[in-house]
Amino acid sequence: MRIERIELRLLRLPLVRFFETSFGRIHQRPFILVFVEGDGVTGVGECVAEANPYYGSETTGTAWHIIEEFIAPAVLGRDFAHPREIFPALRAIRGHRMAKAAVEMAAWDLFARQQGVPLCRALGGSDETIINGIASGVSIGIQDSIEELIERVEVELAAGYRRIKIKIKPGWDVEAAAAVRAKFGPVPLMVDANAAYHLEDAAHLARLDEFALMMIEQPLDYDDVLDHAALQRGMRTPICLDESLHTPKIAAEAIRAGACRIINIKPGRIGGHSQSIQMHDIALAHGVPVWHGGMLESGIGRAHNIHLSTLPGFSLPGDIAASRRYFAPDLIDPEVIVRPDGTIAVPTEPGIGVHLVSDRVAALTEQRLELRASA
Ligand code: OSB
Ligand code: MG
């Protein structure tokens, strides 16, 4: 595929409910859609960078700048035999993996469409998951009260979700986990701290051990590995890393150091599908379970995530839930739904296999840029 055109659009969708993490509360989600055209076919990707650099160092503003000034010039007019050649072609650009991922993932969609296969097939998904669908879990933000948290959990369990994750921070941790356990018994439950603690909190965090959590996600710093290993030595609850795993190599080091027993893969965080396949393969080779994280994506990013989740190492339910939990309406029609058994069907049409509502995209676009290969 020769990449002839790249189009960027900045959009903003209001969230159905606010989402609160240890970084703060948000009410809307701005994001960039990236369209990549080659040989008369267009693929689309979504950049997971947020309005602020709190989860990761990138923002919608930095991603736009890096794609426009550095990524687009590196790929426009070039011929790629396979989308796995895109990430290495961006080697000179350090970091900025969210920006790279958006372009790389759009190229995968383009490639799968050209081949006439659903993206999951191009990525190497397992037949069983492609047929049966992916297991879906929910991420529930910090609430104003324990009563509201219990209500949220009740609604999500009734909808069929296969795993509940609650966000925690100092002051909203042990009591929240205890309340959910007391009310709902042995449901699959985990917590995500988004780096809100320090190694000095080890004794406090070990109190979570009594709740038989599936895991605690990213308790310590976003760039730490070794403190997590020290924390894990004093804790029964398995540690899962999210923010800290910037690259497949860091994931390998974290496994070797004993810093995580479970891995959260988000293609949008680590540079796209090829990097995700590498991280997945490393985890699988070490017998480390993997699950697919989420970044409050629209239907475009969500569809990419569904396809990637069909790889055989994704053995735990992901943070990939129904569109209606986030946006009403979503940018795709039909939207993503979760079936009563807590699974999401894998789209069967070529590429990501979902239909973008172009009127909605056009109406919501705040900024647009078109870049072309010079003839
Ligand atoms: O840490 O997993 C996270 C959302 C935005 C940024 C970081 C995270 C999250 C979530 C929500 O937990 C996952 C989702 O439902 O998309
Ligand atoms: Mg997380």
Side-chain angles (χ1 to χ4, degrees):
M1 53 186 170
R2 185 184 129 92
I3 298 186
E4 276 135 18
R5 195 180 76 95
I6 293 180
E7 181 184 330
L8 304 183
R9 285 175 181 264
L10 176 69
L11 285 80
R12 191 179 308 269
L13 283 171
L15 288 166
V16 168
R17 287 192 89 252
F18 69 82
F19 189 70
E20 185 171 328
T21 64
S22 55
F23 314 124
R25 185 176 288 196
I26 59 167
H27 297 270
Q28 51 172 8
R29 178 69 162 115
F31 54 91
I32 300 168
L33 289 184
V34 179
F35 300 85
V36 172
E37 190 184 321
D39 312 326
V41 183
T42 302
V44 57
E46 176 174 339
C47 184
V48 301
E50 299 180 281
N52 54 55
Y54 301 159
Y55 164 84
S57 60
E58 298 176 71
T59 66
T60 49
T62 69
W64 189 285
H65 163 64
I66 293 292
I67 295 172
E68 177 178 2
E69 301 291 339
F70 299 101
I71 297 176
V75 298
L76 279 170
R78 283 189 56 179
D79 212 340
F80 295 93
H82 192 276
R84 75 169 75 89
E85 296 173 1
I86 303 270
F87 189 83
L90 306 176
R91 189 163 183 275
I93 305 163
R94 294 188 178 172
H96 299 285
R97 284 172 179 254
M98 292 179 175
K100 290 177 181 177
V103 174
E104 196 255 13
M105 292 163 79
W108 273 95
D109 180 33
L110 164 55
F111 174 76
R113 284 176 204 253
Q114 272 185 337
Q115 303 286 309
V117 298
L119 180 59
C120 52
R121 292 287 175 196
L123 292 168
S126 88
D127 289 341
E128 198 195 331
T129 310
I130 290 171
I131 293 162
N132 296 334
I134 63 155
S136 179
V138 284
S139 173
I140 299 179
I142 293 162
Q143 306 294 315
D144 287 327
S145 67
I146 294 289
E147 294 70 44
E148 277 166 84
L149 173 64
I150 295 297
E151 260 174 59
R152 299 311 312 158
V153 174
E154 192 148 34
V155 167
E156 308 299 7
L157 287 173
Y161 288 104
R162 295 205 177 173
R163 179 271 278 148
I164 301 290
K165 156 169 145 184
I166 60 174
K167 293 287 191 179
I168 59 167
K169 65 173 181 182
W172 180 271
D173 46 30
V174 175
E175 302 77 61
V180 174
R181 266 289 174 255
K183 173 80 181 175
F184 301 102
V187 297
L189 178 67
M190 61 173 285
V191 295
D192 184 358
N194 286 115
Y197 298 88
H198 306 282
L199 191 52
E200 297 76 63
D201 302 314
H204 176 71
L205 290 171
R207 291 178 60 199
L208 291 167
D209 280 346
E210 74 171 280
F211 305 114
L213 303 174
M214 298 168 76
M215 70 193 90
I216 177 171
E217 186 180 346
Q218 195 69 39
L220 309 180
D221 255 356
Y222 81 100
D223 57 358
D224 171 79
V225 171
L226 295 184
D227 280 358
H228 280 100
L231 180 66
Q232 182 70 87
R233 286 194 286 274
M235 222 177 155
R236 274 199 312 278
T237 307
I239 291 176
C240 168
L241 291 179
D242 173 0
E243 284 95 317
S244 283
L245 303 182
H246 304 280
T247 68
K249 183 165 177 281
I250 295 172
E253 290 169 359
I255 292 169
R256 185 151 46 118
C260 64
R261 295 185 184 154
I262 300 175
I263 280 180
N264 170 330
I265 292 181
K266 295 175 180 171
R269 176 188 85 228
I270 67 176
H273 287 308
S274 301
Q275 289 288 290
S276 300
I277 293 168
Q278 283 184 30
M279 193 179 283
H280 162 276
D281 291 351
I282 289 166
L284 202 58
H286 287 85
V288 171
V290 166
W291 58 280
H292 202 302
M295 291 289 295
L296 311 177
E297 287 93 344
S298 83
I300 295 301
R302 196 170 304 279
H304 274 282
N305 296 350
I306 292 168
H307 286 282
L308 182 64
S309 300
T310 63
L311 267 64
F314 287 87
S315 53
L316 296 168
D319 275 350
I320 306 174
S323 297
R324 53 173 295 213
R325 288 195 70 241
Y326 309 87
F327 311 112
D330 199 339
L331 295 180
I332 57 167
D333 190 19
E335 59 180 34
V336 173
I337 61 156
V338 165
R339 300 178 289 205
D341 70 347
T343 63
I344 294 175
V346 181
T348 55
E349 288 176 44
I352 58 173
V354 295
H355 299 270
L356 199 55
V357 183
S358 5
D359 295 356
R360 222 171 271 160
V361 172
L364 290 165
T365 298
E366 296 179 2
Q367 211 175 311
R368 181 171 168 275
L369 178 71
E370 218 179 316
L371 302 155
R372 287 177 187 279
S374 39

